[in-house]
Amino acid sequence: MFVRGDLEKIEQKIFRGERLTREDGEKLFACNELTWLGALADFVRKKICGDEVLYNVNCHVNLTNICMSRCKFCAFGRDDDDRRAYAMTIDDAINLVTEAARDPNLIGLHIVSGLHPKWTFENYLAFVETLHKKFPALYVKGFTGVEIQHFANISGLSVEEILRRLKAAGLQAIAGGGAEILTDRVRNLLCPKKATADQWLNVARTAHKLGLPTNASMLYGHIETLSERVEHLIKLRELQDETGGFRTFICFPFLPKNTALESEIRQTSMWDDLRTIAISRLMLDNFRNIKAYWVMLTVPVAQVALSFGANDIDGTIHRENILHDAGATSPRALAEDEIIKIIRDAGRVPKLVTEVLS
Ligand code: SF4
């Protein structure tokens, strides 16, 4: 329930550069003034980052889809006896990156994978070490907070030691996935076998302390309440106040196809996607980059999201697997010139990311 006077007060706070409260966030989710939300988020985006839109030329490396967590919202993870299960060898990973590196603009790798029940931490570490040595010019961003916590669990090492060893092997940043919704209620229902909310936040905090930047994300549109979306954003904002180590925030709309929730939950609407990006920009006043991830949003919605607070459209990707298993209808990759055109057609200025930012 909202009243117009509340919205006017929030608008004035935004124009004065004041922080929005949890109650403000809940009022924004309760209102149905989509274009108003978009205009405010666009105002803040322009003030913080101008008209440049970040994109990158990257390659996703998903080492294995075999996963012991089997989260209810995931269409990628499989049991090891599933006929579609796979696990890369180091040579497979080298071949994938060699093919992607034919593009002279390729700047980095994004490595995220399942929690393989038989692999050790050293198995994962070897991929980072080898890829970094073989392709020293490429930045290596990899592993979500969930994977890092899993490595600590299976190795008996602390999260800090895991991160130190990965950093020494060549890892330069941590991926933003695995945050889902940072409340115990949601995680207990959807993904009880993996990192808790506190553990995910602890991995990010520890990485920031070690000088490893991380991204943050929110998977929304499943069983969470709107109030839990706000709670999630506030937890990220508080940690960012503490460390300043988050680079980019990414909203992931839940794609139900081929997941355990397929018969119960319908995919989010464009309306919900755009308001969630806009409210994220307004609540996360200490994040510079808000990403419109075209793979999940679709290219047209990601392009419109550039006017709803987003200043980053991700990258070429080379070959996306995880979300296409969940029925993503976007292409598996985009050429760099297509990304540039999408950004220019939205009246914005493309900026190729050349460091671990996005
Ligand atoms: S979301 Fe990640 S941890 Fe969960 S089942 Fe999928 S791959 Fe495994």
Side-chain angles (χ1 to χ4, degrees):
M1 182 71 183
F2 72 94
V3 288
R4 177 141 301 282
D6 288 337
L7 298 189
E8 282 165 10
K9 279 185 203 147
I10 293 173
E11 183 177 293
Q12 288 310 313
K13 274 185 166 181
I14 291 166
F15 287 144
R16 288 194 299 266
E18 283 175 28
R19 174 159 282 190
L20 301 185
T21 63
R22 179 184 301 261
E23 292 69 36
D24 293 334
E26 288 177 358
K27 281 174 188 155
L28 292 178
F29 270 113
C31 89
N32 55 9
E33 308 275 349
L34 183 64
T35 52
W36 174 79
L37 277 172
L40 286 176
D42 202 46
F43 164 81
V44 175
R45 181 272 307 162
K46 198 170 175 74
K47 194 167 80 167
I48 294 178
C49 29
D51 283 338
E52 284 179 344
V53 173
L54 305 178
Y55 74 96
N56 60 60
V57 178
N58 61 356
C59 171
H60 283 203
V61 185
N62 307 127
L63 302 173
T64 179
N65 63 354
I66 300 172
C67 187
M68 54 191 279
S69 183
R70 305 308 314 274
C71 310
K72 285 190 182 162
F73 53 78
C74 179
F76 176 70
R78 310 231 181 267
D79 294 331
D80 56 3
D81 58 358
D82 188 303
R83 66 184 168 77
R84 292 155 302 174
Y86 74 86
M88 281 188 185
T89 62
I90 288 191
D91 282 346
D92 292 335
I94 290 172
N95 291 340
L96 174 68
V97 179
T98 302
E99 185 193 314
R102 289 203 195 112
D103 184 335
N105 285 343
L106 184 75
I107 55 152
L109 307 178
H110 172 88
I111 306 174
V112 292
S113 315
L115 313 179
H116 195 298
K118 296 195 183 110
W119 282 9
T120 62
F121 170 53
E122 284 70 26
N123 290 131
Y124 288 92
L125 189 67
F127 281 100
V128 174
E129 236 159 20
T130 308
L131 291 174
H132 178 58
K133 278 199 187 123
K134 186 112 185 123
F135 305 96
L138 300 180
Y139 75 67
V140 183
K141 166 161 65 77
F143 306 120
T144 64
V146 165
E147 290 170 274
I148 302 290
Q149 182 62 50
H150 172 70
F151 300 157
N153 295 347
I154 59 175
S155 67
L157 298 170
S158 66
V159 163
E160 181 165 338
E161 185 56 27
I162 293 289
L163 290 168
R164 281 188 195 283
R165 291 189 192 189
L166 286 168
K167 191 178 178 192
L171 194 76
Q172 289 158 276
I174 308 293
E180 327 307 3
I181 291 286
L182 290 167
T183 70
D184 291 339
R185 186 194 77 85
V186 170
R187 297 180 92 81
N188 286 338
L189 288 169
L190 292 188
C191 49
K193 292 191 189 160
K194 71 182 191 185
T196 63
D198 283 348
Q199 286 173 329
W200 190 94
L201 289 163
N202 176 55
V203 171
R205 181 181 290 109
T206 310
H208 299 168
K209 188 177 88 177
L210 297 177
L212 280 167
T214 76
N215 286 345
S217 63
M218 173 168 75
L219 181 79
Y220 65 94
H222 39 84
I223 63 159
E224 87 288 0
T225 63
L226 294 176
S227 177
E228 283 170 326
R229 290 190 200 179
V230 176
E231 183 176 345
H232 178 94
L233 294 172
I234 287 181
K235 283 183 177 170
L236 294 177
R237 188 172 77 182
E238 285 172 352
L239 184 53
Q240 181 75 327
D241 276 345
E242 190 184 319
T243 67
F246 287 122
R247 291 289 178 269
T248 299
F249 172 76
I250 312 133
C251 279
F252 293 140
F254 170 55
L255 303 179
K257 196 165 173 203
N258 299 331
T259 73
L261 301 174
E262 181 174 9
S263 60
E264 300 161 42
I265 295 177
R266 298 177 72 167
Q267 195 171 327
T268 57
S269 61
M270 180 174 87
W271 198 95
D272 194 10
D273 296 337
L274 291 175
R275 76 165 170 176
T276 303
I277 286 181
I279 294 169
S280 300
R281 168 59 84 189
L282 296 172
M283 293 301 292
L284 295 175
D285 55 11
N286 50 7
F287 277 65
R288 185 181 188 281
N289 303 316
I290 304 288
K291 180 177 293 192
Y293 189 46
W294 61 262
V295 177
M296 289 177 106
L297 293 170
T298 74
V299 170
V301 177
Q303 188 183 39
V304 176
L306 298 179
S307 295
F308 280 74
N311 70 311
D312 183 323
I313 199 160
D314 201 74
T316 51
I317 290 180
H318 188 66
R319 190 186 304 149
E320 205 288 325
N321 291 320
I322 294 178
L323 302 166
H324 285 84
D325 283 354
T329 55
S330 53
R332 282 186 187 262
L334 281 180
E336 188 177 358
D337 59 357
E338 287 176 271
I339 290 193
I340 289 172
K341 183 173 186 318
I342 288 162
I343 297 169
R344 289 214 172 112
D345 284 354
R348 309 277 288 286
V349 181
K351 180 170 170 50
L352 178 62
V353 172
T354 53
E355 54 184 346
V356 190
L357 266 179
S358 107

